């Protein structure tokens, strides 16, 4: 019996590999016309007399009502010039992200044929964590000053758990997060499970659109945090079940297990060991299990109710 089970597993793995090979082949055949404009260089290497042309070319970066002194002061600001110098040192050209962008846009066009490669504009947002990577239909904005590496001196004022998001490896996952907005059906209730599945769907999009990215990069965890979740998956699940939290609508549960933070809040000794957002990670595993056990398209899964996904996922945490 054991022999037949092993043969079945091997057969399923073979079929899965063949399917992924076909997807990869189709993705590679998709043409992408990639355009990257370095607004960070154009602005910080410009002179005051160049502003008129820059404002004409990039009007969305120059809100109406602001006098030119706002921009000339930025050009003369020593700290901003130093920040630009660090960006220029880290990204002297587009080599570090050009290939990743092309691969991502091909994958997006494979799953969403109506989308064409957007124009990419790089800029400096003065380390605005809410505007790191924006995907807006035909335009992508990348704030390169938010991807200098978690140990960079410009990030010393940020808490340790947040600095992980400043790694260059977070650039493409952040873009997918932005791209996913509006494409995932919002939860039909306020339950913890609804939130878990919502973010699980977003993370599964990263599985498909960023197949070469590590799980840690997809969810903004370190390798150690991923290992912790894997080793404690059954305990996490037992905690949610034993405390009847899945269908609980207490808003505090979102802060404890979904929202960004230094750790998750079980109110147990393991709290300090756990990464934040473990509810998102468990939701990801449920969605992965659902897609493994159901023949549905990405778009249909994204539109499917959280409870239906859970009921048909056959999810069993690893022990």
């Amino acid at each position: 019996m054991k022999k037949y089970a092993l043969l079945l597993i091997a057969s399923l793995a073979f079929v899965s590999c063949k399917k992924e090979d076909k997807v990869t082949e189709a993705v590679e055949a998709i043409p992408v016309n990639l355009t990257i404009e370095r607004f960070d260089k154009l602005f910080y290497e410009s002179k005051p007399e160049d502003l008129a042309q820059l404002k004409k070319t990039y009007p969305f970066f120059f809100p109406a009502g602001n006098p030119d002194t706002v921009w000339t002061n930025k050009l003369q600001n020593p700290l901003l010039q130093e920040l630009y110098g660090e960006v220029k040192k880290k990204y002297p050209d587009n080599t570090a992200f050009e290939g990743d962008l092309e691969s991502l846009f091909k994958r997006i066009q494979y799953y969403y044929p109506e989308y064409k490669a957007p124009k990419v504009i790089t800029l400096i947002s003065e380390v605005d964590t809410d505007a790191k990577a924006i995907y807006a239909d035909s335009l992508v904005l990348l704030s390169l000053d938010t991807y200098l590496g978690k140990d960079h001196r410009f990030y010393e004022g940020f808490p340790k758990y947040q600095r992980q998001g400043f790694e260059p490896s977070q650039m493409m996952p952040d873009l997918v997060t932005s791209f996913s907005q509006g494409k995932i059906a919002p939860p039909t209730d306020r339950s913890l499970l609804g939130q878990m599945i919502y973010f699980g769907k977003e993370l599964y999009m990263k599985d498909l659109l960023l197949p070469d990215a590590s799980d840690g990069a997809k969810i903004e965890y370190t390798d150690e945090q991923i290992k912790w979740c894997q080793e404690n998956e059954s305990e996490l699940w037992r905690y949610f079940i034993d405390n009847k939290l899945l269908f609980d609508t207490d808003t505090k549960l979102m802060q404890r297990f979904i929202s960004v933070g230094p750790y998750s809040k079980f109110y147990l000794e393991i709290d300090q060991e756990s990464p934040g957002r473990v509810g998102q990670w468990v939701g990801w595993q449920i969605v992965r299990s659902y897609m493994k056990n159901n023949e549905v398209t990405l778009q249909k899964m994204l539109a499917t109710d959280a409870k239906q996904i859970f009921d048909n996922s056959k999810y069993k945490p690893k022990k």
Side-chain angles (χ1 to χ4, degrees):
M1 191 70 179
K2 185 177 181 181
K3 180 179 179 181
Y4 289 121
L6 290 173
L7 285 172
L8 178 59
I9 293 172
S11 298
L12 291 173
F14 177 76
V15 171
S16 177
C17 288
K18 291 291 287 185
K19 185 177 180 180
E20 179 56 34
D21 287 344
K22 288 184 178 180
V23 171
T24 301
E25 185 177 341
V27 166
E28 289 302 317
I30 296 174
V32 168
N33 184 19
L34 185 61
T35 301
I36 301 175
E37 298 179 4
R38 293 293 298 263
F39 179 76
D40 53 310
K41 287 187 176 183
L42 292 174
F43 181 78
Y44 281 98
E45 294 182 8
S46 67
K47 299 176 182 178
E49 55 266 31
D50 301 325
L51 280 176
Q53 184 57 47
L54 280 176
K55 290 168 72 173
K56 183 178 179 181
T57 307
Y58 301 97
F60 38 84
F61 289 142
F62 299 91
N66 288 323
D68 283 351
T69 52
V70 170
W71 317 116
T72 55
N73 287 342
K74 285 182 180 291
L75 289 175
Q76 296 166 4
N77 186 309
L79 185 60
L80 291 180
Q81 282 291 342
E82 185 181 358
L83 179 59
Y84 168 61
E86 293 301 298
V87 169
K88 188 176 180 181
K89 187 189 305 181
K90 182 73 175 181
Y91 301 105
D93 53 35
N94 305 329
T95 304
F97 50 83
E98 188 170 15
D100 291 337
L101 285 170
E102 184 175 342
S103 297
L104 173 59
F105 295 157
K106 284 186 175 186
R107 287 258 166 184
I108 287 175
Q109 287 185 50
Y110 176 80
Y111 290 102
Y112 294 88
E114 70 275 18
Y115 276 80
K116 303 304 177 188
K119 178 193 292 185
V120 178
I121 301 178
T122 65
L123 65 149
I124 288 175
S125 66
E126 300 175 37
V127 196
D128 183 350
T129 56
D130 292 325
K132 294 170 65 185
I134 298 173
Y135 196 121
D137 295 328
S138 60
L139 184 65
V140 158
L141 304 179
L142 286 176
S143 298
L144 297 183
D145 57 317
T146 62
Y147 299 105
L148 297 177
K150 67 180 185 296
D151 296 322
H152 196 281
R153 68 180 187 278
F154 275 111
Y155 308 142
E156 289 176 356
F158 290 88
K160 183 178 179 180
Y161 72 88
Q162 196 172 4
R163 292 203 297 269
Q164 184 65 26
F166 296 126
E167 285 293 290
S169 60
Q170 293 302 139
M171 194 181 295
M172 297 305 124
D174 285 347
L175 259 187
V176 175
T177 293
S178 180
F179 176 78
S180 72
Q181 293 174 1
K183 296 175 179 61
I184 304 174
T188 56
D189 58 45
R190 301 175 64 184
S191 69
L192 177 62
L193 178 67
Q195 293 292 324
M196 290 166 65
I197 298 298
Y198 178 86
F199 286 100
K201 290 176 178 181
E202 178 190 306
L203 289 161
Y204 187 80
M205 285 188 74
K206 294 178 183 180
D207 284 339
L208 297 186
L209 299 179
L210 302 170
D212 296 326
S214 69
D215 279 5
K218 292 170 189 172
I219 195 171
E220 202 173 295
Y221 277 0
T222 63
D223 291 341
E224 291 74 21
Q225 288 173 323
I226 288 291
K227 183 179 180 182
W228 188 94
C229 288
Q230 292 171 339
E231 291 178 346
N232 292 277
E233 184 175 358
S234 60
E235 285 76 14
L236 295 176
W237 187 243
R238 187 181 303 115
Y239 181 88
F240 291 142
I241 297 300
D242 289 350
N243 290 277
K244 299 177 180 174
L245 299 182
L246 291 183
F247 301 101
D248 196 325
T249 58
D250 186 345
T251 55
K252 292 181 180 178
L253 294 174
M254 311 309 146
Q255 300 171 7
R256 292 172 61 189
F257 303 115
I258 300 295
S259 301
V260 174
Y263 51 83
S264 297
K265 300 175 181 66
F266 298 92
Y267 305 135
L268 299 171
E269 291 182 3
I270 65 169
D271 281 11
Q272 296 296 328
E273 301 173 11
S274 70
R277 299 174 288 118
V278 294
Q280 293 189 26
W281 187 85
V282 174
W284 188 13
Q285 310 318 306
I286 294 172
V287 173
R288 280 175 163 176
S289 183
Y290 174 80
M291 293 301 285
K292 181 180 178 181
N293 292 294
N294 296 270
E295 285 291 333
V296 295
T297 64
L298 170 64
Q299 287 81 354
K300 185 174 181 180
M301 180 273 287
L302 296 179
T304 300
D305 177 78
K307 189 174 185 304
Q308 186 177 340
I309 286 180
F310 173 62
D311 289 342
N312 293 280
S313 67
K314 300 179 183 178
Y315 171 66
K316 291 183 180 180
K318 297 175 182 177
K319 296 182 179 181

